[in-house]
Amino acid sequence: GAVVSQHPSWVICKSGTSVKIECRSLDFQATTMFWYRQFPKQSLMLMATSNEGSKATYEQGVEKDKFLINHASLTLSTLTVTSAHPEDSSFYICSARDSSGGDGAKNIQYFGAGTRLSVL
Amino acid sequence: AQSVTQPDIHITVSEGASLELRCNYSYGATPYLFWYVQSPGQGLQLLLKYFSGDTLVQGIKGFEAEFKRSQSSFNLRKPSVHWSDAAEYFCAVGARTGGFKTIFGAGTRLFVKA
């Protein structure tokens, strides 16, 4: 159980185009999902918290208009990198929390396999 | 504010040897504690977690971790390392209140030599 599917796993795009990444919880409901960015050989940097039915909460320094997040259902969150540039090239990882269970269980994050974005 | 320190950027151990990865945290109360493992180009997999109770927790793949409140530590151990354990290991701290935001340490890369 607790599987998170992230798609696509790898995308190459031209500079100036937009790219959408999907994150789905396959066997549980997730009112909250998280989007991370990971640079080579570094830890995960939280970009934003995606809340079902409401606006995402962005971390300081993350451009809201650049990284659009939509969480329209209890099982799907999308991250759209708008007008991508080479400096946006990175590994993007999503995670989801199971909405059920106690507070401890709510803290467990289930991760997608990540999306490697390369902007030419 | 929460913070997590993994003092070792990388560690090399021989196959069959024991392993200990260090993790220290800063939090105002007892946090939720996690260890995750990441293979190259993959997402993170939960190894084990500590919420409350017994301070020695068992996880998957033969890993265990011990919560020591007095030292604010949650070190990960394995008695005998296998070559397949080579990966990046992240310690994480979760808040017990408000948004359940999780903070990750910088990670420790484990190399296993034959």
Side-chain angles (χ1 to χ4, degrees), chain A residues 32 34 36 38 41-44 46 49 59 91 93 97 102-114 116, chain B residues 32 34 36 38 41-46 49 51 88 90 93-97 99-102 104-107 109:
Chain A
T32 303
F34 301 92
Y36 296 88
Q38 186 179 31
K41 300 183 180 180
Q42 294 189 27
S43 188
L44 284 72
L46 179 64
T49 302
E59 295 299 303
F91 193 57
I93 307 177
R97 292 196 297 110
D103 284 351
K106 286 188 175 72
N107 250 268
I108 298 174
Q109 294 188 36
Y110 301 97
F111 286 83
R116 182 159 304 284
Chain B
Y32 297 122
F34 308 87
Y36 289 87
Q38 183 182 32
Q42 298 294 315
L44 278 68
Q45 180 184 23
L46 179 66
K49 60 190 182 293
F51 292 164
E88 187 88 21
F90 293 97
V93 169
R96 288 181 177 259
T97 58
F100 301 103
K101 190 180 294 186
T102 299
F104 290 84
R109 180 162 293 278

Short mmCIF file of all heavy atoms in Angstrom, two decimals, chain A residues 32 34 36 38 41-44 46 49 59 91 93 97 102-114 116, chain B residues 32 34 36 38 41-46 49 51 88 90 93-97 99-102 104-107 109:
data_model
loop_
_atom_site.label_atom_id
_atom_site.label_comp_id
_atom_site.label_asym_id
_atom_site.label_seq_id
_atom_site.Cartn_x
_atom_site.Cartn_y
_atom_site.Cartn_z
N THR A 32 -2.82 16.55 1.58
CA THR A 32 -1.60 17.35 1.51
C THR A 32 -0.52 16.60 0.74
O THR A 32 -0.25 15.44 1.02
CB THR A 32 -1.06 17.70 2.91
OG1 THR A 32 -2.07 18.37 3.66
CG2 THR A 32 0.17 18.59 2.81
N PHE A 34 3.52 17.35 -1.08
CA PHE A 34 4.67 18.24 -1.02
C PHE A 34 5.47 18.14 -2.32
O PHE A 34 5.59 17.07 -2.89
CB PHE A 34 5.58 17.89 0.16
CG PHE A 34 4.91 17.95 1.50
CD1 PHE A 34 4.32 16.81 2.04
CD2 PHE A 34 4.86 19.12 2.22
CE1 PHE A 34 3.70 16.86 3.28
CE2 PHE A 34 4.24 19.18 3.46
CZ PHE A 34 3.66 18.04 3.98
N TYR A 36 9.26 18.90 -3.83
CA TYR A 36 10.66 19.17 -3.48
C TYR A 36 11.49 19.31 -4.75
O TYR A 36 11.16 18.76 -5.80
CB TYR A 36 11.24 18.01 -2.66
CG TYR A 36 10.62 17.78 -1.31
CD1 TYR A 36 9.51 16.95 -1.17
CD2 TYR A 36 11.15 18.36 -0.16
CE1 TYR A 36 8.94 16.71 0.06
CE2 TYR A 36 10.59 18.13 1.09
CZ TYR A 36 9.49 17.30 1.19
OH TYR A 36 8.93 17.07 2.42
N GLN A 38 15.60 18.81 -5.83
CA GLN A 38 16.84 18.25 -5.33
C GLN A 38 17.94 18.49 -6.34
O GLN A 38 17.85 18.06 -7.49
CB GLN A 38 16.70 16.76 -5.05
CG GLN A 38 17.92 16.14 -4.40
CD GLN A 38 17.73 14.67 -4.10
OE1 GLN A 38 17.03 13.96 -4.81
NE2 GLN A 38 18.35 14.19 -3.03
N LYS A 41 23.59 15.67 -5.53
CA LYS A 41 24.33 15.39 -4.30
C LYS A 41 23.92 16.31 -3.15
O LYS A 41 24.72 16.58 -2.25
CB LYS A 41 25.83 15.48 -4.54
CG LYS A 41 26.33 14.49 -5.58
CD LYS A 41 27.82 14.54 -5.75
CE LYS A 41 28.28 13.54 -6.80
NZ LYS A 41 29.75 13.56 -7.01
N GLN A 42 22.70 16.78 -3.18
CA GLN A 42 22.21 17.62 -2.10
C GLN A 42 20.90 17.06 -1.56
O GLN A 42 20.31 16.13 -2.10
CB GLN A 42 22.00 19.06 -2.59
CG GLN A 42 23.29 19.75 -2.97
CD GLN A 42 23.07 21.23 -3.23
OE1 GLN A 42 22.16 21.84 -2.70
NE2 GLN A 42 23.93 21.80 -4.05
N SER A 43 20.47 17.66 -0.47
CA SER A 43 19.24 17.21 0.16
C SER A 43 18.02 17.75 -0.58
O SER A 43 18.14 18.46 -1.57
CB SER A 43 19.21 17.66 1.62
OG SER A 43 18.11 17.09 2.29
N LEU A 44 16.87 17.40 -0.08
CA LEU A 44 15.63 17.86 -0.67
C LEU A 44 15.33 19.28 -0.17
O LEU A 44 15.41 19.57 1.01
CB LEU A 44 14.46 16.96 -0.27
CG LEU A 44 14.37 15.61 -0.97
CD1 LEU A 44 15.44 14.68 -0.48
CD2 LEU A 44 12.99 15.00 -0.74
N LEU A 46 12.29 21.81 0.14
CA LEU A 46 10.85 21.94 0.03
C LEU A 46 10.51 23.19 -0.75
O LEU A 46 10.94 24.29 -0.40
CB LEU A 46 10.22 21.98 1.41
CG LEU A 46 8.70 22.12 1.46
CD1 LEU A 46 8.02 20.90 0.84
CD2 LEU A 46 8.21 22.32 2.90
N THR A 49 3.88 23.34 -0.29
CA THR A 49 2.92 22.39 0.24
C THR A 49 1.63 22.54 -0.54
O THR A 49 1.06 23.65 -0.62
CB THR A 49 2.67 22.65 1.73
OG1 THR A 49 3.91 22.57 2.44
CG2 THR A 49 1.68 21.63 2.30
N GLU A 59 7.31 28.01 -0.13
CA GLU A 59 8.42 28.35 0.76
C GLU A 59 9.06 29.65 0.29
O GLU A 59 8.94 30.06 -0.88
CB GLU A 59 9.45 27.23 0.78
CG GLU A 59 8.93 25.94 1.36
CD GLU A 59 8.48 26.07 2.80
OE1 GLU A 59 9.31 26.48 3.65
OE2 GLU A 59 7.30 25.78 3.08
N PHE A 91 16.00 17.81 -10.39
CA PHE A 91 15.23 16.62 -10.05
C PHE A 91 14.11 17.08 -9.12
O PHE A 91 14.37 17.63 -8.06
CB PHE A 91 16.15 15.60 -9.36
CG PHE A 91 15.58 14.22 -9.22
CD1 PHE A 91 15.15 13.52 -10.35
CD2 PHE A 91 15.47 13.61 -7.99
CE1 PHE A 91 14.64 12.23 -10.23
CE2 PHE A 91 14.96 12.32 -7.87
CZ PHE A 91 14.55 11.63 -8.99
N ILE A 93 10.78 16.08 -6.90
CA ILE A 93 10.17 14.93 -6.21
C ILE A 93 8.91 15.37 -5.48
O ILE A 93 8.91 16.42 -4.82
CB ILE A 93 11.14 14.31 -5.18
CG1 ILE A 93 12.48 13.96 -5.81
CG2 ILE A 93 10.52 13.06 -4.56
CD1 ILE A 93 13.47 13.42 -4.81
N ARG A 97 1.01 12.76 2.02
CA ARG A 97 0.70 12.27 3.36
C ARG A 97 -0.65 11.58 3.33
O ARG A 97 -1.58 12.03 2.67
CB ARG A 97 0.64 13.41 4.36
CG ARG A 97 1.93 14.09 4.66
CD ARG A 97 1.81 14.93 5.93
NE ARG A 97 0.84 16.00 5.81
CZ ARG A 97 -0.33 16.04 6.43
NH1 ARG A 97 -0.71 15.05 7.19
NH2 ARG A 97 -1.13 17.08 6.29
N GLY A 102 -3.62 8.64 12.86
CA GLY A 102 -3.27 9.61 13.88
C GLY A 102 -2.22 10.58 13.39
O GLY A 102 -1.76 10.52 12.26
N ASP A 103 -1.84 11.48 14.30
CA ASP A 103 -0.88 12.51 13.92
C ASP A 103 0.45 11.93 13.47
O ASP A 103 1.10 12.47 12.58
CB ASP A 103 -0.65 13.46 15.09
CG ASP A 103 -1.82 14.40 15.28
OD1 ASP A 103 -2.71 14.42 14.41
OD2 ASP A 103 -1.86 15.12 16.29
N GLY A 104 0.86 10.86 14.12
CA GLY A 104 2.12 10.25 13.72
C GLY A 104 2.07 9.76 12.30
O GLY A 104 2.96 10.03 11.49
N ALA A 105 1.01 9.05 12.00
CA ALA A 105 0.87 8.50 10.66
C ALA A 105 0.79 9.62 9.63
O ALA A 105 1.28 9.49 8.51
CB ALA A 105 -0.36 7.61 10.58
N LYS A 106 0.19 10.73 10.03
CA LYS A 106 0.07 11.85 9.08
C LYS A 106 1.43 12.42 8.73
O LYS A 106 1.58 13.10 7.73
CB LYS A 106 -0.81 12.95 9.68
CG LYS A 106 -2.29 12.65 9.71
CD LYS A 106 -3.06 13.90 10.14
CE LYS A 106 -4.56 13.67 10.07
NZ LYS A 106 -5.02 12.79 11.15
N ASN A 107 2.40 12.20 9.56
CA ASN A 107 3.73 12.74 9.29
C ASN A 107 4.52 11.91 8.31
O ASN A 107 5.54 12.35 7.81
CB ASN A 107 4.52 12.85 10.59
CG ASN A 107 4.72 14.30 11.01
OD1 ASN A 107 5.71 14.92 10.68
ND2 ASN A 107 3.75 14.84 11.71
N ILE A 108 4.08 10.69 8.05
CA ILE A 108 4.82 9.85 7.13
C ILE A 108 4.56 10.33 5.72
O ILE A 108 3.43 10.53 5.31
CB ILE A 108 4.38 8.38 7.26
CG1 ILE A 108 4.69 7.86 8.67
CG2 ILE A 108 5.10 7.52 6.22
CD1 ILE A 108 4.16 6.46 8.92
N GLN A 109 5.63 10.53 4.99
CA GLN A 109 5.50 10.95 3.60
C GLN A 109 5.87 9.80 2.70
O GLN A 109 6.86 9.10 2.92
CB GLN A 109 6.41 12.15 3.32
CG GLN A 109 6.00 13.40 4.08
CD GLN A 109 6.78 14.61 3.67
OE1 GLN A 109 7.13 14.78 2.50
NE2 GLN A 109 7.05 15.49 4.61
N TYR A 110 5.06 9.62 1.70
CA TYR A 110 5.30 8.60 0.68
C TYR A 110 5.73 9.32 -0.59
O TYR A 110 5.04 10.23 -1.06
CB TYR A 110 4.05 7.76 0.46
CG TYR A 110 3.60 7.07 1.73
CD1 TYR A 110 2.59 7.63 2.53
CD2 TYR A 110 4.20 5.89 2.16
CE1 TYR A 110 2.21 7.01 3.71
CE2 TYR A 110 3.81 5.27 3.34
CZ TYR A 110 2.82 5.84 4.12
OH TYR A 110 2.44 5.24 5.28
N PHE A 111 6.85 8.90 -1.12
CA PHE A 111 7.48 9.65 -2.20
C PHE A 111 7.25 9.03 -3.57
O PHE A 111 7.22 7.79 -3.73
CB PHE A 111 8.99 9.76 -1.97
CG PHE A 111 9.35 10.73 -0.88
CD1 PHE A 111 9.33 10.34 0.44
CD2 PHE A 111 9.69 12.03 -1.20
CE1 PHE A 111 9.65 11.24 1.45
CE2 PHE A 111 10.02 12.94 -0.21
CZ PHE A 111 9.99 12.54 1.12
N GLY A 112 7.12 9.90 -4.54
CA GLY A 112 7.16 9.47 -5.92
C GLY A 112 8.60 9.19 -6.31
O GLY A 112 9.53 9.48 -5.55
N ALA A 113 8.79 8.65 -7.49
CA ALA A 113 10.13 8.27 -7.95
C ALA A 113 10.92 9.45 -8.49
O ALA A 113 12.10 9.32 -8.79
CB ALA A 113 10.03 7.18 -9.01
N GLY A 114 10.26 10.60 -8.61
CA GLY A 114 10.97 11.79 -9.05
C GLY A 114 10.87 12.01 -10.55
O GLY A 114 10.59 11.09 -11.33
N ARG A 116 13.10 13.98 -13.59
CA ARG A 116 14.30 14.72 -13.97
C ARG A 116 13.94 15.64 -15.12
O ARG A 116 13.52 15.18 -16.18
CB ARG A 116 15.43 13.78 -14.37
CG ARG A 116 16.72 14.51 -14.72
CD ARG A 116 17.93 13.63 -14.63
NE ARG A 116 18.11 13.01 -13.33
CZ ARG A 116 18.56 13.62 -12.25
NH1 ARG A 116 18.88 14.90 -12.31
NH2 ARG A 116 18.71 12.96 -11.13
N TYR B 32 8.65 13.80 15.60
CA TYR B 32 8.58 12.54 14.86
C TYR B 32 9.90 12.43 14.10
O TYR B 32 10.38 13.39 13.53
CB TYR B 32 7.42 12.56 13.86
CG TYR B 32 6.06 12.69 14.50
CD1 TYR B 32 5.21 13.74 14.17
CD2 TYR B 32 5.62 11.75 15.43
CE1 TYR B 32 3.96 13.85 14.76
CE2 TYR B 32 4.37 11.85 16.01
CZ TYR B 32 3.54 12.90 15.67
OH TYR B 32 2.32 13.01 16.26
N PHE B 34 12.46 10.17 11.39
CA PHE B 34 12.43 9.25 10.27
C PHE B 34 13.83 9.05 9.69
O PHE B 34 14.67 9.94 9.76
CB PHE B 34 11.53 9.77 9.13
CG PHE B 34 10.15 10.17 9.56
CD1 PHE B 34 9.89 11.44 10.04
CD2 PHE B 34 9.10 9.27 9.48
CE1 PHE B 34 8.61 11.82 10.44
CE2 PHE B 34 7.82 9.63 9.87
CZ PHE B 34 7.58 10.90 10.35
N TYR B 36 15.05 7.87 5.80
CA TYR B 36 14.68 7.50 4.45
C TYR B 36 15.95 7.11 3.69
O TYR B 36 17.04 7.61 3.97
CB TYR B 36 14.02 8.67 3.72
CG TYR B 36 12.64 9.04 4.18
CD1 TYR B 36 12.44 9.93 5.24
CD2 TYR B 36 11.51 8.51 3.56
CE1 TYR B 36 11.17 10.30 5.64
CE2 TYR B 36 10.23 8.87 3.96
CZ TYR B 36 10.07 9.76 5.01
OH TYR B 36 8.81 10.11 5.41
N GLN B 38 17.52 6.74 -0.37
CA GLN B 38 17.31 7.11 -1.77
C GLN B 38 18.39 6.46 -2.63
O GLN B 38 19.58 6.72 -2.45
CB GLN B 38 17.36 8.63 -1.95
CG GLN B 38 17.07 9.09 -3.37
CD GLN B 38 17.17 10.60 -3.54
OE1 GLN B 38 17.96 11.25 -2.87
NE2 GLN B 38 16.36 11.16 -4.43
N GLY B 41 18.73 8.45 -8.67
CA GLY B 41 17.66 8.73 -9.62
C GLY B 41 16.29 8.28 -9.18
O GLY B 41 15.36 8.21 -10.00
N GLN B 42 16.14 7.98 -7.91
CA GLN B 42 14.86 7.49 -7.40
C GLN B 42 14.31 8.41 -6.31
O GLN B 42 15.00 9.30 -5.81
CB GLN B 42 15.04 6.08 -6.82
CG GLN B 42 15.49 5.05 -7.84
CD GLN B 42 14.43 4.80 -8.89
OE1 GLN B 42 13.24 4.63 -8.58
NE2 GLN B 42 14.84 4.77 -10.14
N GLY B 43 13.05 8.16 -5.94
CA GLY B 43 12.47 8.86 -4.82
C GLY B 43 12.98 8.27 -3.52
O GLY B 43 13.90 7.44 -3.50
N LEU B 44 12.39 8.69 -2.43
CA LEU B 44 12.83 8.23 -1.12
C LEU B 44 11.93 7.12 -0.60
O LEU B 44 10.72 7.14 -0.80
CB LEU B 44 12.81 9.39 -0.12
CG LEU B 44 14.00 10.33 -0.12
CD1 LEU B 44 14.06 11.15 -1.40
CD2 LEU B 44 13.96 11.25 1.10
N GLN B 45 12.53 6.18 0.09
CA GLN B 45 11.79 5.08 0.70
C GLN B 45 11.98 5.16 2.21
O GLN B 45 13.09 5.33 2.71
CB GLN B 45 12.31 3.74 0.17
CG GLN B 45 11.58 2.53 0.76
CD GLN B 45 12.17 1.22 0.29
OE1 GLN B 45 13.32 1.12 -0.12
NE2 GLN B 45 11.35 0.17 0.33
N LEU B 46 10.87 5.01 2.93
CA LEU B 46 10.93 5.06 4.38
C LEU B 46 11.57 3.80 4.94
O LEU B 46 11.13 2.69 4.64
CB LEU B 46 9.52 5.21 4.96
CG LEU B 46 9.40 5.26 6.47
CD1 LEU B 46 10.06 6.52 7.02
CD2 LEU B 46 7.94 5.20 6.90
N LYS B 49 10.70 4.67 11.49
CA LYS B 49 10.16 5.89 12.08
C LYS B 49 10.08 5.74 13.59
O LYS B 49 9.98 4.63 14.11
CB LYS B 49 8.77 6.17 11.52
CG LYS B 49 7.77 5.05 11.82
CD LYS B 49 6.48 5.24 11.06
CE LYS B 49 5.48 4.14 11.39
NZ LYS B 49 5.92 2.83 10.90
N PHE B 51 7.82 7.47 16.73
CA PHE B 51 6.77 8.38 17.16
C PHE B 51 6.78 8.50 18.68
O PHE B 51 6.76 9.60 19.23
CB PHE B 51 5.40 7.87 16.70
CG PHE B 51 5.19 7.94 15.22
CD1 PHE B 51 4.17 7.23 14.61
CD2 PHE B 51 6.00 8.71 14.40
CE1 PHE B 51 3.97 7.29 13.23
CE2 PHE B 51 5.82 8.78 13.03
CZ PHE B 51 4.79 8.06 12.46
N GLU B 88 21.93 6.88 -0.67
CA GLU B 88 21.93 8.11 0.12
C GLU B 88 20.90 7.95 1.22
O GLU B 88 19.78 7.50 0.98
CB GLU B 88 21.56 9.30 -0.76
CG GLU B 88 21.68 10.66 -0.08
CD GLU B 88 23.07 11.26 -0.23
OE1 GLU B 88 23.78 10.85 -1.15
OE2 GLU B 88 23.43 12.14 0.57
N PHE B 90 18.79 9.75 4.39
CA PHE B 90 18.34 11.02 4.92
C PHE B 90 17.62 10.81 6.25
O PHE B 90 16.70 10.00 6.35
CB PHE B 90 17.37 11.71 3.96
CG PHE B 90 18.00 12.15 2.67
CD1 PHE B 90 17.91 11.37 1.54
CD2 PHE B 90 18.67 13.36 2.60
CE1 PHE B 90 18.48 11.77 0.35
CE2 PHE B 90 19.26 13.78 1.41
CZ PHE B 90 19.16 12.97 0.29
N VAL B 93 13.01 15.11 10.42
CA VAL B 93 12.26 15.47 11.62
C VAL B 93 10.92 16.02 11.20
O VAL B 93 10.84 16.90 10.34
CB VAL B 93 13.02 16.53 12.43
CG1 VAL B 93 12.15 17.12 13.52
CG2 VAL B 93 14.30 15.97 13.00
N GLY B 94 9.86 15.51 11.81
CA GLY B 94 8.52 15.99 11.51
C GLY B 94 7.93 16.71 12.70
O GLY B 94 8.12 16.29 13.84
N ALA B 95 7.21 17.78 12.42
CA ALA B 95 6.59 18.54 13.50
C ALA B 95 5.33 17.83 13.98
O ALA B 95 4.66 17.16 13.20
CB ALA B 95 6.23 19.94 13.00
N ARG B 96 5.02 17.98 15.23
CA ARG B 96 3.82 17.36 15.78
C ARG B 96 2.61 18.28 15.68
O ARG B 96 1.51 17.89 16.01
CB ARG B 96 4.04 16.97 17.25
CG ARG B 96 4.97 15.78 17.40
CD ARG B 96 5.17 15.38 18.85
NE ARG B 96 6.01 14.20 18.94
CZ ARG B 96 5.56 12.97 19.15
NH1 ARG B 96 4.27 12.76 19.28
NH2 ARG B 96 6.39 11.94 19.21
N THR B 97 2.84 19.48 15.22
CA THR B 97 1.74 20.43 15.13
C THR B 97 1.81 21.16 13.80
O THR B 97 2.86 21.15 13.13
CB THR B 97 1.79 21.47 16.27
OG1 THR B 97 3.03 22.16 16.21
CG2 THR B 97 1.65 20.80 17.62
N GLY B 99 1.01 22.04 10.07
CA GLY B 99 1.25 21.58 8.72
C GLY B 99 2.00 20.30 8.52
O GLY B 99 2.17 19.86 7.43
N PHE B 100 2.47 19.69 9.67
CA PHE B 100 3.21 18.43 9.57
C PHE B 100 4.37 18.54 8.59
O PHE B 100 4.70 17.58 7.91
CB PHE B 100 2.27 17.30 9.13
CG PHE B 100 1.12 17.11 10.08
CD1 PHE B 100 -0.14 17.59 9.77
CD2 PHE B 100 1.31 16.47 11.29
CE1 PHE B 100 -1.20 17.43 10.66
CE2 PHE B 100 0.25 16.29 12.17
CZ PHE B 100 -1.00 16.77 11.85
N LYS B 101 5.00 19.68 8.57
CA LYS B 101 6.12 19.87 7.66
C LYS B 101 7.29 19.04 8.16
O LYS B 101 7.56 18.93 9.35
CB LYS B 101 6.51 21.35 7.62
CG LYS B 101 7.50 21.71 6.54
CD LYS B 101 7.84 23.19 6.58
CE LYS B 101 6.63 24.03 6.22
NZ LYS B 101 7.01 25.46 6.12
N THR B 102 7.99 18.45 7.23
CA THR B 102 9.14 17.60 7.56
C THR B 102 10.41 18.27 7.08
O THR B 102 10.47 18.77 5.95
CB THR B 102 8.99 16.23 6.91
OG1 THR B 102 7.81 15.61 7.41
CG2 THR B 102 10.19 15.34 7.21
N PHE B 104 14.45 17.73 6.28
CA PHE B 104 15.40 16.67 5.98
C PHE B 104 16.83 17.14 6.27
O PHE B 104 17.17 18.30 6.05
CB PHE B 104 15.29 16.26 4.50
CG PHE B 104 14.03 15.53 4.19
CD1 PHE B 104 12.86 16.21 3.91
CD2 PHE B 104 14.01 14.14 4.17
CE1 PHE B 104 11.68 15.54 3.64
CE2 PHE B 104 12.83 13.46 3.89
CZ PHE B 104 11.67 14.16 3.63
N GLY B 105 17.64 16.20 6.71
CA GLY B 105 19.06 16.47 6.84
C GLY B 105 19.71 16.50 5.46
O GLY B 105 19.07 16.23 4.44
N ALA B 106 20.98 16.84 5.44
CA ALA B 106 21.69 16.99 4.17
C ALA B 106 21.99 15.65 3.50
O ALA B 106 22.35 15.60 2.33
CB ALA B 106 22.98 17.75 4.38
N GLY B 107 21.85 14.58 4.26
CA GLY B 107 22.07 13.26 3.69
C GLY B 107 23.47 12.73 3.93
O GLY B 107 24.43 13.51 4.07
N ARG B 109 25.93 9.81 2.16
CA ARG B 109 26.08 8.82 1.10
C ARG B 109 26.90 7.66 1.61
O ARG B 109 28.02 7.86 2.10
CB ARG B 109 26.73 9.43 -0.14
CG ARG B 109 26.90 8.41 -1.27
CD ARG B 109 27.13 9.06 -2.61
NE ARG B 109 25.96 9.78 -3.08
CZ ARG B 109 24.92 9.22 -3.70
NH1 ARG B 109 24.90 7.92 -3.87
NH2 ARG B 109 23.92 9.96 -4.12
#
